[in-house]
Amino acid sequence: MLERQQLVRLLRQVPLLHGLGPNDLSGVAAAAQCREIERRRFFFRQGTIADAVYVLNRGRVKLTQSTPKQAHVLLRFIAPGEMFDLTSLDGQPYTLSAEATRWSQAVVWKVPTMIALMERYPSIAVNALREMAARLQELRERYRELATERVERRVAHALIRLAREAGWRRESGFSLVDIPLSRQDLAEMTGTTLYTVSRILAGWRRDGIIESGRQRLAILQPSAVQAIAEDLPGATSGDEKPKT
Amino acid sequence: MLERQQLVRLLRQVPLLHGLGPNDLSGVAAAAQCREIERRRFFFRQGTIADAVYVLNRGRVKLTQSTPKQAHVLLRFIAPGEMFDLTSLDGQPYTLSAEATRWSQAVVWKVPTMIALMERYPSIAVNALREMAARLQELRERYRELATERVERRVAHALIRLAREAGWRRESGFSLVDIPLSRQDLAEMTGTTLYTVSRILAGWRRDGIIESGRQRLAILQPSAVQAIAEDLPGATSGDEKPKT
DNA sequence: CCGCGTCTTTGCGCTGCAGCAAAGAATGCC
DNA sequence: GGCATTCTTTGCTGCAGCGCAAAGACGCGG
């Protein structure tokens, strides 16, 4: 658990609370609770009542949605400082689950508390809007991809996003060390199957574009991945497409 | 154009402004502008700077996103009273286009103006958050569908949503009269092609589930559409699926 | 009322990808 | 260190749905 002072210092880094002065922050901190959970445990699960707003402090969280018949979709990862996607302010159930991919710590406000804080410090609400707008934007983009692009390109896009959000720059390219990322995960991010993902990655590995192992992945040639994601020349997947 | 009084009366119906008193509303109205456009014209287009927040007053608006290579995705329709999805508060370009499907009128605030209003009347910001959360929720659901369900079921879901948002109840079922809805539109909503949509609708028409013509569509048996959308018994598409 | 443009239908061939199955790797646990 | 578990790879088969082509229906404007 955290001391008040420590908590305030942390909250200063949180985009949701940008623009608040030290006194304000202290008030906001006073209304917060703190939760820590182990790897593979859930901050909340789809179906339970959405009664709180979460901001991740340390660790890494995976937001997923699942269907009655056990098909899962991986929506996004949350990095420290980010707010978990909020689903409802009206006591509806969560429509997604938040699972820690490793030990994680989050700051939590009850929904009515947070609404009161927003009424008192409107810039919190505006910050939240910004963050929601950005999420909506990204999801729309992925939706369009899913509707219009083939699998290989979607996987390439997924890697680019992951590298941006959680990639460590190395001598050559990026490695995605922060997140244990299985083929299954990638499949659930891109709307395909683990088999197809495995085949695609195998191809890229043969071409020296990536390096990959069990739950690990490194991008050796970011530009090549980019080329596959867009429709640039230099895409390697076998057939060249001669422009007429 | 509208008189101030008339505008205030209209704004009273707008969810975004719920909770504001008459004086507040008058102030909000004073900061607003009004735009009217013809069918097939755009309130704004993807790529131009997002400098305003829109609330539809009368008419019907279609939000679409398109790729460099002319593939289009139909994100949603906006009904009177609804806020257009906001894409950015920071001077980024719009990532979608807003086209009137018929003569439409919208109330418009410049982004900095709206932010100032939100700082002054925080409940506007909270209302906006609610609306954004709902959008995000729906989009997530559609994303999951696109990733996990087959085309026929996605189309059924699209019809259900349309009926809820814009359907007129008739003796039997619903007719979707408000929106000229082509096969192409439905395809762009569900991530498929107009051919496939046409074939699916033809099948349902044979089964008496719907009635459809050029840009028109009526649902005769809502429960049958529901049955296809979920996996209920009574789905008609040829093969029964005997539960083992 | 005719002709033209737009929307819709349907036949047909093709392919990207799903989805078993089964054989490897890598890892963790006792 | 060895066994069990979990993750990955890869061959093979099948089919849902894409997408061309061409004909038909509808509705609008003149």
Side-chain angles (χ1 to χ4, degrees), chain B residues 44-202:
Chain B
F44 53 79
R45 292 186 115 100
Q46 187 171 352
T48 60
I49 296 300
D51 61 350
V53 176
Y54 287 78
V55 167
L56 189 64
N57 186 14
R58 296 172 62 185
R60 186 75 65 167
V61 166
K62 181 159 95 168
L63 300 184
T64 60
Q65 192 171 52
S66 42
T67 63
K69 46 176 116 24
Q70 301 304 337
H72 300 280
V73 161
L74 202 167
L75 293 166
R76 73 184 324 248
F77 290 94
I78 299 292
E82 288 187 299
M83 175 177 69
F84 294 17
D85 290 32
L86 34 103
T87 59
S88 160
L89 301 175
D90 309 298
Q92 301 294 315
Y94 286 114
T95 51
L96 46 80
S97 303
E99 177 188 355
T101 62
R102 59 179 195 206
W103 181 89
S104 294
Q105 184 186 58
V107 190
V108 189
W109 293 269
K110 292 285 171 193
V111 166
T113 309
M114 178 47 84
I115 290 183
L117 286 171
M118 286 176 169
E119 302 272 359
R120 175 117 159 250
Y121 307 110
S123 58
I124 299 181
V126 176
N127 291 334
L129 265 183
R130 272 183 227 276
E131 218 161 321
M132 295 285 279
R135 301 288 161 88
L136 202 40
Q137 184 119 339
E138 194 202 298
L139 190 57
R140 271 193 298 253
E141 199 179 307
R142 286 176 58 186
Y143 182 81
R144 179 179 53 67
E145 263 176 35
L146 197 48
T148 64
E149 312 278 18
R150 337 217 101 150
V151 173
E152 188 181 31
R153 192 169 300 178
R154 299 204 303 266
V155 174
H157 263 119
L159 290 195
I160 291 171
R161 286 199 195 92
L162 284 167
R164 194 173 48 223
E165 291 168 16
W168 283 57
R169 184 164 266 115
R170 292 195 329 182
E171 329 79 64
S172 62
F174 296 88
S175 60
L176 272 34
V177 293
D178 249 20
I179 305 170
L181 194 73
S182 67
R183 304 292 179 266
Q184 179 72 40
D185 288 329
L186 266 172
E188 290 175 1
M189 295 182 75
T190 52
T192 179
T193 61
L194 78 163
Y195 309 111
T196 300
V197 169
S198 178
R199 282 185 260 262
I200 288 173
L201 294 187

Side-chain angles (χ1 to χ4, degrees), chain A residues 85-114:
Chain A
D85 290 33
L86 32 104
T87 60
S88 160
L89 301 176
D90 309 298
Q92 302 294 315
Y94 285 114
T95 51
L96 45 79
S97 303
E99 178 188 354
T101 62
R102 59 178 195 208
W103 181 89
S104 294
Q105 184 186 56
V107 189
V108 189
W109 293 268
K110 290 285 169 192
V111 166
T113 308
M114 179 45 84

Side-chain angles (χ1 to χ4, degrees), chain A residues 41-46 54 56 60-66 72-79 82-87 94-101 132 135 139 142 179 185 188-189, chain B residues 136 140 143:
Chain A
R41 311 215 53 132
F42 290 77
F43 279 110
F44 53 79
R45 291 187 117 100
Q46 186 171 352
Y54 288 77
L56 189 64
R60 186 75 66 167
V61 166
K62 178 158 96 169
L63 300 184
T64 59
Q65 192 171 51
S66 43
H72 299 281
V73 161
L74 203 168
L75 293 166
R76 73 185 323 250
F77 291 94
I78 300 291
E82 289 187 300
M83 175 178 68
F84 295 17
D85 290 33
L86 32 104
T87 60
Y94 285 114
T95 51
L96 45 79
S97 303
E99 178 188 354
T101 62
M132 294 285 277
R135 301 288 161 88
L139 190 58
R142 284 177 58 185
I179 305 170
D185 289 329
E188 290 176 3
M189 294 182 74
Chain B
L136 202 40
R140 271 193 298 253
Y143 182 81

Side-chain angles (χ1 to χ4, degrees), chain A:
Chain A
M1 282 302 128
L2 294 169
E3 293 283 345
R4 170 70 60 83
Q5 276 314 310
Q6 213 179 340
L7 183 54
V8 169
R9 215 171 315 125
L10 282 167
L11 292 184
R12 209 161 19 185
Q13 313 294 331
V14 170
L16 181 67
L17 303 173
H18 268 357
L20 268 64
N23 289 339
D24 305 341
L25 273 182
S26 178
V28 171
Q33 286 159 19
C34 206
R35 270 189 71 191
E36 307 180 354
I37 61 174
E38 298 298 324
R39 179 166 189 229
R40 284 178 208 278
R41 311 215 53 132
F42 290 77
F43 279 110
F44 53 79
R45 291 187 117 100
Q46 186 171 352
T48 59
I49 296 299
D51 60 350
V53 176
Y54 288 77
V55 167
L56 189 64
N57 187 13
R58 296 173 63 185
R60 186 75 66 167
V61 166
K62 178 158 96 169
L63 300 184
T64 59
Q65 192 171 51
S66 43
T67 64
K69 45 177 120 19
Q70 299 306 339
H72 299 281
V73 161
L74 203 168
L75 293 166
R76 73 185 323 250
F77 291 94
I78 300 291
E82 289 187 300
M83 175 178 68
F84 295 17
D85 290 33
L86 32 104
T87 60
S88 160
L89 301 176
D90 309 298
Q92 302 294 315
Y94 285 114
T95 51
L96 45 79
S97 303
E99 178 188 354
T101 62
R102 59 178 195 208
W103 181 89
S104 294
Q105 184 186 56
V107 189
V108 189
W109 293 268
K110 290 285 169 192
V111 166
T113 308
M114 179 45 84
I115 291 183
L117 287 172
M118 285 175 170
E119 303 271 359
R120 176 116 159 251
Y121 308 110
S123 57
I124 300 181
V126 175
N127 290 334
L129 265 183
R130 273 184 227 275
E131 218 161 320
M132 294 285 277
R135 301 288 161 88
L136 203 40
Q137 185 121 338
E138 193 200 299
L139 190 58
R140 270 194 299 254
E141 199 180 305
R142 284 177 58 185
Y143 182 82
R144 178 179 55 65
E145 261 175 37
L146 197 48
T148 64
E149 313 278 18
R150 333 217 108 142
V151 173
E152 189 181 32
R153 191 167 301 176
R154 300 205 301 268
V155 174
H157 263 120
L159 290 196
I160 291 171
R161 285 199 196 93
L162 284 168
R164 195 174 47 223
E165 291 168 15
W168 283 56
R169 183 166 267 116
R170 292 196 326 185
E171 330 77 67
S172 62
F174 296 89
S175 61
L176 272 37
V177 292
D178 248 19
I179 305 170
L181 194 73
S182 67
R183 306 290 179 267
Q184 179 71 39
D185 289 329
L186 266 171
E188 290 176 3
M189 294 182 74
T190 52
T192 180
T193 62
L194 79 163
Y195 309 110
T196 300
V197 169
S198 177
R199 282 185 262 262
I200 289 173
L201 294 187
W204 293 351
R205 197 174 335 124
R206 265 192 291 279
D207 299 337
I209 295 177
I210 63 165
E211 190 182 87
S212 80
R214 189 191 172 91
Q215 312 230 68
R216 276 187 331 90
L217 201 147
I219 301 175
L220 300 180
Q221 304 178 35
S223 62
V225 177
Q226 190 82 39
I228 295 169
E230 322 296 334
D231 201 12
L232 306 178
T236 41
S237 56
D239 47 38
E240 301 301 314
K241 209 181 271 175
K243 275 271 161 58
T244 45

